[in-house]
């Protein structure tokens, strides 16, 4: 089955700086890679996703890149703000959507004022 | 309007008891899920269910059983609770297997 590794487990950055979270996956058939943000006391919420036919996707301050050859994908957050503090999860699946998602172990992002 | 709602939000119980967590979604989605999040924040699928098929993660003990009275509800029943069942349980729904919409979670503590 799929195995998703996520690094780092904790990331502390100064407000205004950029943050990068990296994930690797094992199943070359995986074709859908979402990122979820979980705020304290809440359920995870989708913030961006990418499919295997695209190398990069951007939405305002958030971008995701995918390297299929190396089987890794990354989340980039620019101009970080206090409200970006949360736990971020990457995930992967060969099912093309929500079914069969394997999540990484999460990254606790801390934005220092 | 809450899209995916779970009750109760907190549940404290003794080992050996049987408990249920209820989940309702008002999004009209076809598929519902139960996820378990342990103390290290690791998210793991337990079940996925639509009106045709129940898919069970093979690592889930058979003390856990989902029950769906209708398309908008997927309840989780747990028998003979054990200490290791303590976790946050998330219900989620999805339209045709696309984005997951999570509830706010139910924190279960087994004493």
């Amino acid at each position: 089955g799929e195995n998703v590794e996520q690094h780092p487990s904790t990331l502390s950055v100064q407000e205004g700086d950029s943050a990068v979270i990296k994930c690797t996956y094992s199943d070359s058939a995986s074709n859908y890679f979402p990122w979820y943000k979980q705020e304290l006391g809440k359920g995870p919420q989708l913030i961006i996703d990418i499919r295997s036919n695209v190398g990069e996707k951007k939405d305002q301050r958030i971008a995701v890149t995918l390297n299929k050859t190396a089987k890794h994908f990354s989340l980039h957050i620019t101009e970080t703000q206090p409200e970006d503090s949360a736990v971020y999860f990457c995930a992967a699946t060969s099912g093309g959507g929500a079914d069969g998602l394997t999540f990484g172990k999460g990254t606790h992002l801390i934005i220092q004022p | 309007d809450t899209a995916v709602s779970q009750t109760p939000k907190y549940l404290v119980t003794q080992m050996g008891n049987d408990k249920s967590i209820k989940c309702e979604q008002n999004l009209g989605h076809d598929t519902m899920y139960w996820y378990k999040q342990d103390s290290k924040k690791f998210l793991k699928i337990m079940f996925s269910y639509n009106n045709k098929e129940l898919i069970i993660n093979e690592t889930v003990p058979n003390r856990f059983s989902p029950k769906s009275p209708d398309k908008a509800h997927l309840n989780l029943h747990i028998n003979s609770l054990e200490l290791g069942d303590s976790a946050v349980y998330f219900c989620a729904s999805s339209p045709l297997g696309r984005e997951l919409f999570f509830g706010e979670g139910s924190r279960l503590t087994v004493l």
Side-chain angles (χ1 to χ4, degrees), chain A residues 36 38 41-44 46 87 89 97-99 101 103-105, chain B residues 9 33 35 37 41-43 90 94 97-100 102-104:
Chain A
Y36 283 80
Q38 185 177 21
K42 304 273 188 183
L46 180 73
V87 179
F89 294 93
D99 289 333
L101 276 173
F103 283 85
K105 292 192 174 182
Chain B
K9 194 172 175 70
Y33 308 81
Y35 277 82
Q37 186 171 48
K41 297 287 189 181
F42 187 41
L43 267 172
F90 285 99
S94 175
R98 294 193 177 90
E99 174 185 351
L100 283 170
F102 284 90
E104 296 209 329

Side-chain angles (χ1 to χ4, degrees), chain B residues 65-76:
Chain B
S65 59
K67 287 185 170 46
S68 180
D70 56 57
K71 186 179 169 182
H73 296 84
L74 184 64
N75 303 324
L76 182 65

Side-chain angles (χ1 to χ4, degrees), chain A residues 4-35:
Chain A
V4 176
E5 299 283 342
Q6 183 172 346
H7 299 280
S9 56
T10 303
L11 177 60
S12 182
V13 301
Q14 288 294 123
E15 183 178 348
D17 288 350
S18 296
V20 181
I21 303 170
K22 298 181 179 182
C23 289
T24 60
Y25 60 98
S26 60
D27 186 355
S28 56
S30 286
N31 56 13
Y32 176 64
F33 308 91
W35 286 87

Side-chain angles (χ1 to χ4, degrees), chain A residues 34-67:
Chain A
W35 286 87
Y36 283 80
K37 175 184 180 183
Q38 185 177 21
E39 297 177 348
L40 194 63
K42 304 273 188 183
Q45 185 173 13
L46 180 73
I47 54 171
I48 195 167
D49 56 12
I50 192 167
R51 299 189 183 273
S52 57
N53 59 348
V54 175
E56 184 173 358
K57 185 176 179 181
K58 193 172 181 180
D59 182 4
Q60 298 181 359
R61 296 186 296 108
I62 294 173
V64 58
T65 58
L66 171 65
N67 183 326

